[in-house]
Coordinates of all heavy atoms in Angstrom, one line a residue:
M1 N 62.2 -153.7 64.8 CA 63.0 -154.1 63.7 C 62.3 -155.2 62.9 O 61.7 -156.1 63.5 CB 64.4 -154.6 64.2 CG 65.2 -153.5 64.8 SD 67.0 -154.0 65.1 CE 67.0 -155.7 65.4
K2 N 62.5 -155.1 61.6 CA 61.9 -156.2 60.7 C 62.7 -157.4 60.9 O 64.0 -157.4 61.0 CB 61.9 -155.7 59.3 CG 60.9 -154.7 59.0 CD 60.8 -154.5 57.5 CE 59.7 -153.5 57.2 NZ 59.7 -153.3 55.7
K3 N 62.1 -158.5 60.8 CA 62.8 -159.8 60.9 C 63.4 -160.2 59.6 O 62.9 -159.9 58.5 CB 61.8 -160.9 61.3 CG 61.1 -160.7 62.6 CD 61.9 -161.2 63.7 CE 61.1 -161.1 65.0 NZ 62.0 -161.0 66.2
G4 N 64.6 -160.8 59.6 CA 65.2 -161.3 58.4 C 66.0 -160.4 57.5 O 66.5 -160.8 56.5
I5 N 66.0 -159.1 57.9 CA 66.7 -158.1 57.0 C 68.1 -157.6 57.6 O 68.9 -157.0 56.9 CB 65.9 -156.9 56.6 CG1 65.5 -156.1 57.8 CG2 64.6 -157.4 55.9 CD1 64.9 -154.8 57.4
H6 N 68.3 -157.9 58.8 CA 69.5 -157.4 59.5 C 70.5 -158.5 59.6 O 70.2 -159.6 59.9 CB 69.1 -156.8 60.9 CG 68.2 -155.7 60.9 ND1 68.6 -154.4 60.5 CD2 66.8 -155.6 61.2 CE1 67.5 -153.6 60.6 NE2 66.5 -154.4 61.0
P7 N 71.8 -158.1 59.5 CA 72.9 -159.1 59.6 C 72.9 -159.6 61.1 O 72.6 -158.8 62.0 CB 74.1 -158.4 59.2 CG 73.8 -156.9 59.4 CD 72.4 -156.8 59.2
E8 N 73.5 -160.8 61.2 CA 73.6 -161.3 62.6 C 74.7 -160.6 63.4 O 75.8 -160.4 62.9 CB 74.0 -162.8 62.5 CG 74.2 -163.5 63.8 CD 74.8 -164.9 63.6 OE1 75.0 -165.3 62.5 OE2 75.0 -165.5 64.7
Y9 N 74.3 -160.1 64.6 CA 75.3 -159.4 65.4 C 75.8 -160.4 66.4 O 75.0 -161.0 67.1 CB 74.6 -158.3 66.2 CG 75.5 -157.4 67.0 CD1 76.3 -156.5 66.4 CD2 75.6 -157.6 68.4 CE1 77.2 -155.7 67.1 CE2 76.5 -156.8 69.1 CZ 77.2 -155.8 68.5 OH 78.1 -155.1 69.2
R10 N 77.1 -160.6 66.5 CA 77.7 -161.6 67.4 C 79.1 -161.1 67.8 O 79.6 -160.1 67.3 CB 77.8 -162.9 66.6 CG 78.7 -162.8 65.3 CD 78.5 -163.9 64.5 NE 79.4 -163.7 63.3 CZ 79.7 -164.7 62.5 NH1 79.3 -165.9 62.7 NH2 80.5 -164.4 61.5
T11 N 79.7 -161.8 68.7 CA 81.0 -161.5 69.3 C 82.0 -162.1 68.4 O 81.9 -163.3 68.0 CB 81.1 -162.0 70.7 OG1 80.1 -161.5 71.5 CG2 82.4 -161.6 71.2
V12 N 83.0 -161.3 67.9 CA 84.1 -161.7 67.0 C 85.4 -161.4 67.6 O 85.6 -160.4 68.3 CB 83.9 -161.0 65.6 CG1 85.0 -161.4 64.7 CG2 82.6 -161.3 65.0
V13 N 86.4 -162.3 67.4 CA 87.8 -162.1 67.9 C 88.5 -161.5 66.7 O 88.6 -162.0 65.7 CB 88.4 -163.4 68.3 CG1 89.9 -163.2 68.7 CG2 87.7 -164.0 69.5
F14 N 89.1 -160.3 67.0 CA 89.9 -159.6 66.0 C 91.4 -159.7 66.5 O 91.7 -159.5 67.7 CB 89.6 -158.1 65.9 CG 88.3 -157.8 65.2 CD1 87.1 -157.8 66.0 CD2 88.2 -157.7 63.9 CE1 85.9 -157.5 65.4 CE2 87.0 -157.5 63.2 CZ 85.8 -157.4 64.0
H15 N 92.3 -160.1 65.5 CA 93.7 -160.3 65.8 C 94.5 -159.2 65.1 O 94.6 -159.3 63.9 CB 94.1 -161.7 65.4 CG 95.5 -162.0 65.7 ND1 96.2 -163.0 64.9 CD2 96.4 -161.5 66.5 CE1 97.4 -163.0 65.3 NE2 97.6 -162.2 66.3
D16 N 95.1 -158.3 65.9 CA 96.0 -157.4 65.3 C 97.4 -158.1 65.1 O 98.1 -158.3 66.1 CB 96.1 -156.1 66.2 CG 97.0 -155.0 65.6 OD1 97.6 -155.3 64.6 OD2 97.0 -153.9 66.2
T17 N 97.7 -158.4 63.9 CA 98.9 -159.1 63.6 C 100.2 -158.4 63.8 O 101.3 -159.0 64.0 CB 98.9 -159.7 62.2 OG1 98.7 -158.7 61.2 CG2 97.7 -160.7 62.0
S18 N 100.1 -157.0 63.7 CA 101.4 -156.3 63.8 C 101.9 -156.2 65.3 O 103.1 -156.1 65.5 CB 101.2 -154.8 63.3 OG 100.2 -154.2 64.1
V19 N 101.0 -156.3 66.3 CA 101.4 -156.4 67.7 C 101.0 -157.6 68.4 O 101.2 -157.8 69.6 CB 101.0 -155.1 68.5 CG1 101.6 -153.9 68.0 CG2 99.5 -155.0 68.4
D20 N 100.4 -158.6 67.7 CA 100.0 -159.9 68.2 C 99.1 -159.7 69.4 O 99.3 -160.3 70.5 CB 101.2 -160.8 68.5 CG 100.8 -162.2 68.7 OD1 99.8 -162.6 68.0 OD2 101.4 -162.9 69.5
E21 N 98.0 -158.9 69.2 CA 97.0 -158.7 70.3 C 95.6 -159.1 69.8 O 95.4 -159.0 68.6 CB 96.9 -157.2 70.7 CG 98.1 -156.7 71.5 CD 98.1 -157.3 72.9 OE1 97.0 -157.5 73.5 OE2 99.2 -157.4 73.4
Y22 N 94.8 -159.6 70.7 CA 93.5 -160.1 70.3 C 92.4 -159.2 71.0 O 92.6 -158.8 72.2 CB 93.4 -161.5 70.8 CG 94.2 -162.5 70.1 CD1 95.6 -162.7 70.5 CD2 93.8 -163.2 69.0 CE1 96.4 -163.6 69.8 CE2 94.6 -164.1 68.3 CZ 95.9 -164.3 68.7 OH 96.7 -165.1 68.0
F23 N 91.3 -159.0 70.3 CA 90.3 -158.2 70.8 C 89.0 -159.0 70.7 O 88.7 -159.5 69.6 CB 90.1 -156.8 70.1 CG 91.3 -156.0 70.1 CD1 92.2 -156.1 69.0 CD2 91.5 -155.1 71.1 CE1 93.3 -155.3 69.0 CE2 92.7 -154.3 71.1 CZ 93.5 -154.4 70.0
L24 N 88.1 -158.9 71.7 CA 86.8 -159.6 71.6 C 85.8 -158.5 71.5 O 85.5 -157.7 72.4 CB 86.6 -160.4 72.9 CG 85.5 -161.4 72.9 CD1 85.7 -162.5 71.8 CD2 85.4 -162.1 74.2
I25 N 85.2 -158.3 70.3 CA 84.3 -157.2 70.0 C 83.0 -157.7 69.3 O 83.1 -158.6 68.5 CB 85.0 -156.2 69.1 CG1 86.3 -155.7 69.8 CG2 84.1 -155.0 68.8 CD1 87.1 -154.8 68.9
G26 N 81.9 -157.0 69.6 CA 80.7 -157.3 68.9 C 80.7 -156.8 67.5 O 81.1 -155.7 67.3
S27 N 80.2 -157.6 66.5 CA 80.3 -157.2 65.1 C 79.3 -158.0 64.3 O 78.9 -159.0 64.7 CB 81.8 -157.4 64.6 OG 81.9 -157.1 63.3
T28 N 79.1 -157.4 63.1 CA 78.2 -158.1 62.1 C 79.1 -158.7 61.0 O 78.6 -159.2 60.1 CB 77.2 -157.2 61.5 OG1 77.9 -156.1 60.9 CG2 76.2 -156.7 62.5
L29 N 80.4 -158.7 61.2 CA 81.3 -159.2 60.2 C 81.1 -160.7 60.0 O 81.0 -161.4 61.0 CB 82.8 -159.0 60.7 CG 83.9 -159.4 59.8 CD1 84.0 -158.5 58.6 CD2 85.2 -159.5 60.5
Q30 N 81.1 -161.1 58.8 CA 80.9 -162.5 58.4 C 82.3 -163.2 58.1 O 83.0 -162.7 57.3 CB 80.0 -162.7 57.3 CG 78.6 -162.2 57.5 CD 77.9 -162.9 58.6 OE1 78.0 -164.2 58.8 NE2 77.2 -162.2 59.5
T31 N 82.7 -164.2 58.8 CA 84.0 -164.9 58.6 C 83.7 -166.4 58.8 O 82.9 -166.8 59.6 CB 85.1 -164.3 59.5 OG1 86.2 -165.0 59.2 CG2 84.7 -164.5 60.9
K32 N 84.6 -167.2 58.0 CA 84.4 -168.6 58.2 C 85.5 -169.2 59.1 O 85.4 -170.3 59.6 CB 84.7 -169.3 56.8 CG 83.6 -168.9 55.9 CD 83.7 -169.6 54.5 CE 82.6 -169.1 53.6 NZ 82.6 -169.7 52.3
Q33 N 86.5 -168.4 59.6 CA 87.5 -168.8 60.5 C 86.9 -168.8 61.9 O 86.2 -167.8 62.3 CB 88.8 -168.0 60.4 CG 89.5 -168.2 59.1 CD 90.7 -167.3 59.0 OE1 90.6 -166.1 59.5 NE2 91.8 -167.8 58.5
T34 N 87.4 -169.7 62.8 CA 87.0 -169.6 64.2 C 88.2 -169.8 65.0 O 89.2 -170.3 64.6 CB 85.9 -170.7 64.5 OG1 86.5 -172.0 64.3 CG2 84.6 -170.5 63.8
I35 N 88.1 -169.4 66.3 CA 89.2 -169.6 67.3 C 88.6 -169.8 68.6 O 87.5 -169.3 69.0 CB 90.1 -168.3 67.3 CG1 91.4 -168.6 68.1 CG2 89.4 -167.1 67.8 CD1 92.4 -167.5 68.0
E36 N 89.3 -170.6 69.4 CA 88.9 -170.9 70.8 C 89.5 -169.8 71.7 O 90.7 -169.6 71.7 CB 89.3 -172.3 71.3 CG 88.6 -172.6 72.6 CD 88.9 -174.0 73.0 OE1 89.0 -174.9 72.1 OE2 89.0 -174.3 74.2
W37 N 88.6 -169.1 72.4 CA 89.0 -168.0 73.3 C 89.4 -168.5 74.6 O 89.2 -169.6 75.0 CB 87.8 -166.9 73.3 CG 88.2 -165.6 74.0 CD1 87.7 -165.2 75.1 CD2 89.2 -164.7 73.5 NE1 88.2 -163.9 75.4 CE2 89.1 -163.6 74.4 CE3 90.0 -164.6 72.4 CZ2 89.9 -162.5 74.3 CZ3 90.8 -163.5 72.3 CH2 90.7 -162.4 73.2
K38 N 89.9 -167.6 75.5 CA 90.4 -167.9 76.8 C 89.3 -168.5 77.7 O 89.6 -169.3 78.6 CB 90.9 -166.7 77.5 CG 92.1 -166.1 76.7 CD 92.5 -164.7 77.3 CE 93.5 -164.0 76.4 NZ 93.7 -162.6 76.7
D39 N 88.0 -168.2 77.4 CA 86.9 -168.7 78.3 C 86.5 -170.0 77.8 O 85.5 -170.6 78.4 CB 85.7 -167.7 78.3 CG 85.2 -167.4 76.9 OD1 85.6 -168.1 75.9 OD2 84.2 -166.6 76.8
G40 N 87.1 -170.6 76.8 CA 86.7 -172.0 76.4 C 85.7 -172.0 75.2 O 85.4 -173.0 74.7
K41 N 85.1 -170.8 74.9 CA 84.1 -170.8 73.8 C 84.8 -170.5 72.5 O 85.9 -170.0 72.4 CB 83.1 -169.6 74.1 CG 82.3 -169.8 75.4 CD 81.3 -168.7 75.5 CE 80.5 -168.8 76.8 NZ 79.6 -167.6 77.0
T42 N 84.1 -170.9 71.5 CA 84.6 -170.7 70.1 C 83.9 -169.6 69.5 O 82.7 -169.5 69.5 CB 84.4 -172.0 69.2 OG1 85.1 -173.1 69.9 CG2 85.0 -171.8 67.9
Y43 N 84.7 -168.6 68.9 CA 84.3 -167.4 68.3 C 84.7 -167.3 66.9 O 85.8 -167.8 66.5 CB 84.7 -166.2 69.1 CG 84.2 -166.1 70.5 CD1 85.0 -166.4 71.6 CD2 82.9 -165.6 70.8 CE1 84.5 -166.3 72.9 CE2 82.4 -165.5 72.0 CZ 83.2 -165.9 73.1 OH 82.7 -165.7 74.4
P44 N 84.0 -166.5 66.0 CA 84.5 -166.2 64.8 C 85.8 -165.4 64.9 O 86.0 -164.6 65.8 CB 83.4 -165.3 64.1 CG 82.2 -165.6 64.9 CD 82.7 -166.0 66.3
Y45 N 86.7 -165.5 63.9 CA 88.0 -165.0 64.0 C 88.4 -164.2 62.8 O 88.1 -164.6 61.6 CB 89.1 -166.1 64.2 CG 90.5 -165.7 64.1 CD1 91.1 -165.1 65.1 CD2 91.3 -166.1 62.9 CE1 92.5 -164.8 65.1 CE2 92.6 -165.7 62.9 CZ 93.2 -165.1 64.0 OH 94.5 -164.8 63.9
F46 N 88.9 -163.0 62.9 CA 89.3 -162.1 61.8 C 90.6 -161.4 62.1 O 90.8 -160.9 63.2 CB 88.2 -161.1 61.6 CG 88.3 -160.3 60.3 CD1 88.1 -160.9 59.0 CD2 88.8 -159.0 60.3 CE1 88.2 -160.2 57.9 CE2 89.0 -158.3 59.1 CZ 88.7 -158.9 57.9
T47 N 91.6 -161.4 61.1 CA 92.8 -160.8 61.3 C 92.8 -159.3 60.7 O 92.2 -159.1 59.7 CB 94.0 -161.5 60.7 OG1 93.7 -161.7 59.3 CG2 94.1 -162.9 61.3
I48 N 93.5 -158.4 61.4 CA 93.6 -157.0 61.0 C 95.1 -156.6 61.1 O 95.8 -157.3 61.8 CB 92.7 -156.1 61.8 CG1 93.0 -156.2 63.3 CG2 91.2 -156.3 61.5 CD1 92.2 -155.2 64.1
E49 N 95.4 -155.7 60.3 CA 96.8 -155.2 60.3 C 97.1 -154.0 61.2 O 98.2 -153.9 61.7 CB 97.3 -154.9 58.9 CG 97.3 -156.0 57.9 CD 97.7 -155.6 56.6 OE1 98.0 -154.5 56.3 OE2 97.6 -156.5 55.7
V50 N 96.1 -153.2 61.5 CA 96.2 -152.0 62.3 C 95.1 -151.9 63.2 O 93.9 -152.1 62.8 CB 96.3 -150.8 61.4 CG1 96.4 -149.5 62.2 CG2 97.5 -150.8 60.4
S51 N 95.3 -151.6 64.5 CA 94.3 -151.3 65.5 C 94.8 -150.1 66.3 O 95.8 -149.5 66.1 CB 94.1 -152.5 66.3 OG 95.2 -152.8 67.2
S52 N 94.0 -149.8 67.3 CA 94.4 -148.7 68.2 C 95.7 -149.0 69.0 O 96.4 -148.1 69.4 CB 93.3 -148.4 69.2 OG 93.0 -149.5 70.0
L53 N 96.1 -150.2 69.1 CA 97.3 -150.6 69.8 C 98.5 -150.5 69.0 O 99.6 -150.4 69.4 CB 97.2 -152.0 70.4 CG 96.4 -152.2 71.6 CD1 96.4 -153.6 72.1 CD2 96.9 -151.3 72.8
S54 N 98.3 -150.5 67.6 CA 99.5 -150.4 66.7 C 99.5 -149.2 65.9 O 100.6 -148.9 65.3 CB 99.5 -151.6 65.9 OG 98.4 -151.7 65.0
H55 N 98.4 -148.4 65.8 CA 98.4 -147.2 64.9 C 99.2 -146.1 65.5 O 99.1 -145.9 66.7 CB 97.0 -146.8 64.7 CG 96.8 -145.8 63.6 ND1 97.1 -144.4 63.8 CD2 96.6 -145.9 62.2 CE1 96.9 -143.8 62.6 NE2 96.6 -144.7 61.7
S56 N 100.0 -145.4 64.8 CA 100.9 -144.4 65.3 C 100.2 -143.2 65.9 O 100.7 -142.6 66.8 CB 101.9 -143.9 64.1 OG 101.1 -143.4 63.1
F57 N 99.0 -142.9 65.5 CA 98.3 -141.8 66.0 C 97.9 -142.1 67.5 O 98.0 -141.3 68.4 CB 97.0 -141.6 65.3 CG 96.2 -140.4 65.8 CD1 96.5 -139.1 65.6 CD2 95.0 -140.7 66.6 CE1 95.7 -138.1 66.1 CE2 94.2 -139.7 67.1 CZ 94.6 -138.4 66.9
Y58 N 97.5 -143.3 67.8 CA 97.0 -143.7 69.1 C 98.2 -144.1 70.0 O 98.0 -144.0 71.3 CB 96.0 -144.9 69.0 CG 94.8 -144.5 68.3 CD1 94.5 -145.0 67.0 CD2 93.8 -143.6 68.9 CE1 93.4 -144.6 66.3 CE2 92.7 -143.3 68.2 CZ 92.5 -143.8 66.9 OH 91.4 -143.4 66.3
T59 N 99.3 -144.6 69.5 CA 100.4 -144.9 70.3 C 101.3 -143.7 70.7 O 102.2 -143.8 71.6 CB 101.3 -146.0 69.6 OG1 101.8 -145.4 68.4 CG2 100.5 -147.2 69.4
G60 N 101.1 -142.6 70.1 CA 101.9 -141.4 70.4 C 103.2 -141.4 69.6 O 104.1 -140.6 69.9
K61 N 103.4 -142.3 68.7 CA 104.7 -142.4 67.9 C 104.6 -141.7 66.6 O 105.4 -142.0 65.7 CB 105.1 -143.8 67.8 CG 105.5 -144.5 69.1 CD 105.8 -145.9 68.9 CE 106.1 -146.5 70.3 NZ 106.4 -147.9 70.2
Q62 N 103.6 -140.8 66.5 CA 103.3 -140.1 65.2 C 104.4 -139.2 64.9 O 104.8 -138.4 65.8 CB 102.0 -139.5 65.2 CG 101.5 -138.9 63.9 CD 100.1 -138.4 64.0 OE1 99.6 -138.2 65.1 NE2 99.5 -138.1 62.9
M63 N 104.9 -139.1 63.7 CA 106.0 -138.2 63.4 C 105.4 -136.8 63.0 O 104.5 -136.8 62.2 CB 106.8 -138.7 62.2 CG 107.5 -140.0 62.5 SD 108.5 -140.6 61.1 CE 109.9 -139.6 61.4
V64 N 105.9 -135.8 63.6 CA 105.4 -134.5 63.3 C 106.5 -133.8 62.4 O 107.7 -133.7 62.8 CB 105.2 -133.6 64.6 CG1 104.8 -132.2 64.3 CG2 104.2 -134.3 65.5
I65 N 106.0 -133.3 61.3 CA 107.0 -132.7 60.4 C 106.8 -131.2 60.5 O 105.7 -130.6 60.5 CB 106.6 -133.1 58.9 CG1 106.7 -134.6 58.7 CG2 107.5 -132.4 57.9 CD1 106.1 -135.1 57.4
Q66 N 108.0 -130.6 60.7 CA 108.0 -129.1 60.8 C 107.8 -128.5 59.4 O 108.5 -128.8 58.5 CB 109.3 -128.6 61.4 CG 109.5 -129.0 62.9 CD 108.6 -128.1 63.7 OE1 107.4 -128.3 63.7 NE2 109.2 -127.2 64.5
K67 N 106.8 -127.6 59.3 CA 106.6 -126.9 58.1 C 107.1 -125.5 58.2 O 106.8 -124.9 59.2 CB 105.1 -126.9 57.8 CG 104.6 -128.3 57.5 CD 103.2 -128.3 57.0 CE 102.6 -129.7 56.7 NZ 101.3 -129.7 56.2
E68 N 107.9 -125.1 57.2 CA 108.4 -123.8 57.2 C 107.3 -122.8 56.7 O 106.4 -123.2 56.0 CB 109.7 -123.7 56.5 CG 109.6 -124.1 55.1 CD 110.9 -124.1 54.4 OE1 112.0 -124.1 55.0 OE2 110.9 -124.1 53.1
G69 N 107.5 -121.6 57.1 CA 106.5 -120.5 56.6 C 106.6 -120.2 55.2 O 107.5 -120.7 54.5
R70 N 105.6 -119.5 54.7 CA 105.6 -119.2 53.2 C 106.8 -118.3 52.8 O 107.3 -118.6 51.7 CB 104.3 -118.4 53.0 CG 103.1 -119.2 53.0 CD 101.9 -118.4 52.7 NE 100.8 -119.2 52.2 CZ 99.7 -118.8 51.7 NH1 99.5 -117.4 51.6 NH2 98.7 -119.5 51.3
V71 N 107.1 -117.3 53.6 CA 108.3 -116.5 53.2 C 109.6 -117.3 53.2 O 110.4 -117.2 52.2 CB 108.4 -115.3 54.2 CG1 109.7 -114.5 53.9 CG2 107.2 -114.4 54.1
A72 N 109.8 -118.1 54.2 CA 111.0 -119.0 54.2 C 111.1 -119.9 53.0 O 112.1 -120.2 52.5 CB 111.1 -119.7 55.5
N73 N 109.9 -120.5 52.7 CA 109.8 -121.4 51.6 C 110.1 -120.7 50.3 O 110.8 -121.2 49.4 CB 108.4 -122.0 51.5 CG 108.3 -123.1 50.5 OD1 109.3 -123.7 50.1 ND2 107.1 -123.4 50.0
F74 N 109.6 -119.4 50.1 CA 109.9 -118.6 48.9 C 111.3 -118.3 48.8 O 112.0 -118.4 47.7 CB 109.0 -117.3 49.0 CG 109.3 -116.4 47.8 CD1 108.6 -116.6 46.6 CD2 110.2 -115.4 47.9 CE1 108.9 -115.8 45.5 CE2 110.5 -114.6 46.8 CZ 109.8 -114.7 45.7
N75 N 111.9 -117.9 49.9 CA 113.4 -117.5 49.9 C 114.3 -118.7 49.6 O 115.2 -118.6 48.9 CB 113.8 -116.9 51.2 CG 113.2 -115.5 51.4 OD1 112.9 -114.8 50.5 ND2 113.0 -115.1 52.7
R76 N 113.9 -119.9 50.1 CA 114.6 -121.1 49.9 C 114.6 -121.5 48.4 O 115.5 -121.8 47.8 CB 114.1 -122.3 50.7 CG 114.9 -123.6 50.5 CD 114.2 -124.7 51.2 NE 112.8 -124.9 50.9 CZ 112.3 -125.5 49.9 NH1 113.0 -126.0 49.0 NH2 111.0 -125.6 49.7
R77 N 113.4 -121.4 47.8 CA 113.2 -121.8 46.4 C 113.8 -120.8 45.4 O 114.3 -121.2 44.4 CB 111.7 -121.9 46.1 CG 111.0 -123.1 46.7 CD 109.6 -123.2 46.5 NE 109.3 -123.2 45.1 CZ 108.1 -123.0 44.5 NH1 107.1 -122.6 45.3 NH2 107.9 -123.0 43.3
F78 N 113.8 -119.5 45.7 CA 114.3 -118.5 44.7 C 115.6 -117.8 45.1 O 116.0 -116.9 44.5 CB 113.2 -117.5 44.5 CG 111.9 -118.1 43.8 CD1 110.8 -118.3 44.6 CD2 112.0 -118.4 42.5 CE1 109.7 -118.9 44.1 CE2 110.8 -119.0 41.9 CZ 109.7 -119.3 42.7
A79 N 116.3 -118.4 46.1 CA 117.6 -117.9 46.5 C 118.6 -117.9 45.4 O 119.5 -117.1 45.3 CB 118.1 -118.5 47.8
Q80 N 118.5 -118.9 44.6 CA 119.5 -119.1 43.5 C 119.4 -118.0 42.4 O 120.3 -117.8 41.7 CB 119.3 -120.5 42.8 CG 117.9 -120.6 42.2 CD 117.7 -122.0 41.6 OE1 118.6 -122.8 41.7 NE2 116.5 -122.3 41.2
F81 N 118.2 -117.3 42.4 CA 118.0 -116.3 41.3 C 118.5 -114.9 41.8 O 118.4 -114.0 41.1 CB 116.6 -116.3 40.9 CG 116.1 -117.6 40.3 CD1 115.2 -118.3 40.9 CD2 116.8 -118.1 39.1 CE1 114.8 -119.6 40.3 CE2 116.3 -119.2 38.5 CZ 115.4 -120.0 39.1
S82 N 118.8 -114.8 43.1 CA 119.1 -113.4 43.6 C 120.5 -113.1 43.1 O 121.4 -113.9 43.0 CB 119.0 -113.4 45.2 OG 120.0 -114.2 45.7
T83 N 120.7 -111.8 42.9 CA 122.0 -111.3 42.4 C 122.9 -110.8 43.5 O 124.0 -110.7 43.3 CB 121.8 -110.1 41.5 OG1 121.1 -109.0 42.2 CG2 121.0 -110.5 40.2
G84 N 122.3 -110.6 44.7 CA 123.1 -110.2 45.8 C 123.2 -108.7 45.9 O 123.7 -108.1 46.9
D85 N 122.9 -107.9 44.8 CA 123.0 -106.5 44.8 C 121.6 -105.8 45.2 O 120.6 -106.3 44.7 CB 123.3 -105.9 43.4 CG 124.5 -106.5 42.8 OD1 125.4 -106.9 43.6 OD2 124.6 -106.7 41.5
K86 N 121.7 -104.9 46.0 CA 120.5 -104.1 46.4 C 120.8 -102.7 46.5 O 121.8 -102.2 46.8 CB 119.9 -104.6 47.6 CG 119.1 -105.9 47.4 CD 118.2 -106.2 48.5 CE 117.3 -107.4 48.1 NZ 116.3 -107.6 49.0

């Protein structure tokens, strides 16, 4: 690797504010905020709104919408135009 062209890779504390969880992850993210971690060391700190602990896809709380078929959708939309005679 060339010297001086790559961003600094370091350990950063990410805070998921929606579930109040903290993650210690390696990142090149630049931030001016710091926080003291459980091990007594000070790390860069960054807040996020969604992580794997709060996202509905990963928590299993994702809503599944039932989609009706094409024929049922057609009948629902055009039922008002039918005369009832056949």
Side-chain angles (χ1 to χ4, degrees):
M1 290 192 332
K2 287 187 176 181
K3 300 272 186 209
I5 64 168
H6 298 285
E8 178 188 0
Y9 185 78
R10 59 194 179 163
T11 305
V12 178
V13 175
F14 288 91
H15 178 204
D16 184 350
T17 55
S18 62
V19 291
D20 197 32
E21 286 290 329
Y22 294 86
F23 303 94
L24 196 59
I25 301 173
S27 176
T28 60
L29 181 75
Q30 298 298 318
T31 180
K32 294 180 182 182
Q33 295 177 317
T34 60
I35 189 171
E36 188 171 329
W37 190 244
K38 300 170 189 172
D39 61 2
K41 295 181 182 177
T42 301
Y43 293 102
Y45 172 76
F46 190 75
T47 58
I48 55 176
E49 295 177 5
V50 178
S51 71
S52 60
L53 284 179
S54 62
H55 193 278
S56 59
F57 179 80
Y58 297 105
T59 60
K61 296 179 182 176
Q62 188 174 15
M63 299 182 82
V64 177
I65 300 171
Q66 288 288 69
K67 293 185 178 182
E68 57 187 18
R70 286 180 156 187
V71 173
N73 188 24
F74 178 84
N75 290 335
R76 180 186 52 81
R77 288 178 58 198
F78 295 103
Q80 64 185 352
F81 300 115
S82 69
T83 59
D85 305 331
K86 281 199 174 188

